[in-house]
Amino acid sequence: MRKKRQKKPIPRVDTARTRTVRRQAIMPAAKSQKKHPQAVVIERADFPRLMEALGSRGYQIIGPTVREGAIVYDTLTSDEQLPAGWTDEQDGGTYRLKKRSDDALFGYNVGPHSWKRFLHPPVQRLFSARREGGGFEVLPEPESSPKYAFLGVRACELHAITIQDRVFLDGPHVDPIYKARREKTFIVVVNCAKAGGTCFCASMNTGPRGTSGFDLALTEIPENGHHCFVAETGTKEGAAVLRKVPHRAATEADLESAECVVAETARHMGRTLDTTDIKELLYRNHEHPRWEQVAARCMTCANCTMVCPTCFCSTVEDVTDLTGEHAERWRKWDSCFTMSFSYIHGGPVRSSIKSRYRQWITHKLASWIDQFGTSGCVGCGRCITWCPAAIDITEEVRAIRDSAFTHAKSPTIIGASQ
Ligand code: SF4
Ligand code: SF4
C-alpha cells in the first residue's frame, strides 16, 4: 500500500565507488535481516492464509500463473493457480518453461508481462463525448481504480515501479489513472532464488533482493522437505496482513538460509553490464558503426519496449461511431520503434532503424539519467529474451565500449539524425 510518497533507492549511475559497494551489497543487505525484529517464517501450508488475508482486506490479487507456455501475471483466487514446480529457461530470443525438482511457487524469473500493465494499462479510454446540439458534451470516464495486491514482485520490478512513479507522479503533470491505482497497491516482493539467463539486476544495483518500497517481502525456501517463507514487513499495512497469517519468529538458521538463497542468485547472473560512465559513453558514440550493424538485425517489432517494465510511451487515438453521434479518446502504449512515433509536421524525425534503435538504448541508459536522475534500465533481461533477433542490450553496450570513440564525435543532444 502506497502511503506517503518517500524517496526510495533507485538505480544509480555507476561510479567506481558504487561498483565497489555493489559487489559487497548482497551480503550486508541480507545480514541486515538478522537485525530485523519482524523477520518471521510462514510455512508453505499456511500460504493460502496470506492470500485469504489479502482478499479479506479487499485486494484483488495479481500474481504469476502458467498460461500459453509462459508465466504471466493475472488475477489469482487460489494458491493452486501459482506456477508450483515450474521454472523458466531464458536466453537471447528464447523462453521455455520446464519442471523443477521441487514444488517452489516462485522458482522462475520474469515472464513477458510486467506490473506496468496494471498501473499503466496498455489500452485505456480517457473520455467519451456525445453530440449535443451544435457541439459535443464530454462524458467523464467512470472511476475504475482497482485495489491491487501484487504477489511475487521481483526486486528489479519494484525498482521499475519506482522509476515509473517518477515519470507519472513526480513531475508537474501527474497521471491520474496511474496515481489512483498506485496509491492503493499492496506489494509482496519475493526475492529471487535463481537468476535467469538474461538477468543482470546485480549490475544495475536493483536486485536480486528487495530492500525497500514493499509491504511484505518473502524469501522462499523450498528445501529438505521443509518448504517455508522467511517474511519481513515494510509497512503497517504489511504488518496488519501478516498478523492474519500463522507464523513464527525466524531463527538464525532460517535467516542464514534466506541469506544464502539471495547471495547465490547474485553470483549467478546470466548477463552483466558495465555501467561505468555509460551516459558519456553513449553520447560520445552517436555515430559509432555498431548502430548500423544492430539496425541490420532489428525488425522494429517493438517487442523490447512492450515487455520493458519502465518504458512508458503512449499515443492517443480518437474514434467515432458511424453516425458521428458518439466519439471516444483512447490512450494506447506506443513505442519509439514505430515510424509514427516521431512523426511531426510532414515526416518522422527518426525514419531509419538505426536512429530508432539508438534512440531506445540511449534513452534507457543515458538521457533517462538526465531526464529522471536514474537509469531507465533495471536489468530484468526481458528485452533480450523477447527480441526475435536476440539483440542483447548488454552485448550492444559491450561492443560500443570495446571499440568506442574516445573523444566527442557528435553533439550531446541526440535524436534528430537519421
Ligand atoms: S531490438 Fe529486437 S525486440 Fe526491439 S524492435 Fe528490434 S527486433 Fe524488435
Ligand atoms: S531495457 Fe531491457 S533489461 Fe532494461 S529494464 Fe527494460 S526490458 Fe529490462
Side-chain angles (χ1 to χ4, degrees):
M1 172 83 66
R2 194 162 194 260
K3 295 290 181 193
K4 197 174 168 201
R5 286 184 42 70
Q6 43 184 249
K7 294 277 178 206
K8 296 172 189 165
I10 44 181
R12 293 284 173 199
V13 188
D14 207 3
T15 63
R17 193 179 72 79
T18 56
R19 282 198 311 283
T20 305
V21 171
R22 176 177 311 152
R23 277 193 288 273
Q24 302 165 341
I26 300 305
M27 295 303 285
K31 278 179 181 153
S32 71
Q33 199 175 40
K34 291 180 183 176
K35 298 173 196 145
H36 211 298
Q38 292 99 337
V40 301
V41 171
I42 301 170
E43 298 297 331
R44 164 66 182 94
D46 292 320
F47 195 84
R49 302 284 294 277
L50 172 60
M51 296 180 69
E52 287 164 22
L54 290 168
S56 70
R57 293 176 83 81
Y59 290 108
Q60 177 184 347
I61 301 172
I62 308 292
T65 193
V66 174
R67 198 171 68 216
E68 296 173 10
I71 293 172
V72 298
Y73 298 145
D74 207 345
T75 299
L76 303 182
T77 53
S78 158
D79 66 316
E80 290 176 8
Q81 295 166 281
L82 290 164
W86 286 102
T87 191
D88 48 23
E89 276 185 340
Q90 303 192 40
D91 204 343
T94 303
Y95 177 97
R96 281 195 188 84
L97 291 186
K98 69 172 196 178
K99 289 299 281 184
R100 290 172 57 97
S101 59
D102 58 30
D103 287 328
L105 300 181
F106 300 92
Y108 58 89
N109 289 105
V110 293
H113 284 180
S114 70
W115 305 100
K116 80 174 178 183
R117 68 171 33 251
F118 301 99
L119 297 175
H120 172 50
V123 179
Q124 176 77 41
R125 189 170 58 197
L126 298 177
F127 64 82
S128 359
R130 73 164 167 249
R131 191 181 292 281
E132 274 296 326
F136 272 104
E137 181 192 3
V138 173
L139 309 169
E141 198 52 23
E143 191 64 32
S144 73
S145 53
K147 186 179 170 185
Y148 288 133
F150 291 166
L151 176 61
V153 177
R154 301 308 192 179
C156 65
E157 298 184 301
L158 186 50
H159 277 273
I161 291 171
T162 307
I163 287 172
Q164 289 215 321
D165 287 350
R166 291 200 155 213
V167 174
F168 290 118
L169 303 177
D170 282 1
H173 306 291
V174 171
D175 185 299
I177 298 165
Y178 185 94
K179 182 170 186 278
R181 290 166 178 245
R182 178 70 174 101
E183 279 177 344
K184 290 188 265 185
T185 300
F186 185 99
I187 291 182
V188 183
V189 157
V190 178
N191 295 320
C192 284
K194 73 178 262 289
T198 56
C199 291
F200 56 102
C201 65
S203 293
M204 305 310 289
N205 207 18
T206 57
R209 174 186 161 82
T211 52
S212 66
F214 53 77
D215 294 282
L216 277 178
L218 307 177
T219 304
E220 184 173 24
I221 304 174
E223 58 192 32
N224 300 332
H226 178 209
H227 190 167
C228 65
F229 297 84
V230 174
E232 61 180 299
T233 56
T235 60
K236 284 184 185 164
E237 179 69 357
V241 169
L242 191 59
R243 278 196 291 276
K244 301 290 182 191
V245 185
H247 60 265
R248 63 170 171 80
T251 63
E252 280 295 311
D254 295 322
L255 296 170
E256 283 293 333
S257 297
E259 184 179 321
C260 284
V261 162
V262 180
E264 273 300 294
T265 305
R267 274 195 285 273
H268 291 95
M269 291 282 130
R271 298 289 201 275
T272 58
L273 178 65
D274 180 358
T275 57
T276 310
D277 297 330
I278 196 162
K279 185 176 86 168
E280 293 73 20
L281 176 80
L282 292 172
Y283 282 168
R284 208 166 51 223
N285 287 279
H286 188 221
E287 297 300 338
H288 195 285
R290 183 73 183 190
W291 302 124
E292 293 287 3
Q293 292 165 26
V294 71
R297 297 167 60 206
C298 176
M299 294 173 264
T300 65
C301 66
N303 267 15
C304 46
T305 50
M306 296 296 110
V307 295
C308 179
T310 65
C311 279
F312 58 85
C313 289
S314 58
T315 187
V316 288
E317 281 181 17
D318 291 346
V319 294
T320 181
D321 65 6
L322 289 176
T323 66
E325 294 297 315
H326 182 86
E328 295 179 349
R329 173 163 292 177
W330 289 80
R331 182 171 74 182
K332 297 179 175 178
W333 286 359
D334 202 353
S335 167
C336 50
F337 280 91
T338 67
M339 185 75 96
S340 58
F341 185 76
S342 67
Y343 186 96
I344 49 171
H345 51 73
V349 170
R350 290 185 285 271
S351 59
S352 71
I353 297 176
K354 166 187 156 183
S355 63
R356 278 177 266 158
Y357 184 82
R358 181 179 56 199
Q359 157 64 25
W360 176 69
I361 199 170
T362 309
H363 188 212
K364 279 279 150 210
L365 298 172
S367 52
W368 202 296
I369 296 166
D370 287 335
Q371 198 175 4
F372 300 110
T374 74
S375 171
C377 174
V378 296
C380 73
R382 285 183 178 90
C383 58
I384 306 170
T385 299
W386 297 96
C387 173
I391 293 170
D392 180 337
I393 188 172
T394 66
E395 190 182 320
E396 294 312 308
V397 171
R398 194 171 301 114
I400 288 176
R401 189 180 290 286
D402 288 349
S403 56
F405 295 144
T406 51
H407 303 292
K409 298 272 185 182
S410 61
T412 53
I413 296 172
I414 61 166
S417 74
Q418 308 299 298

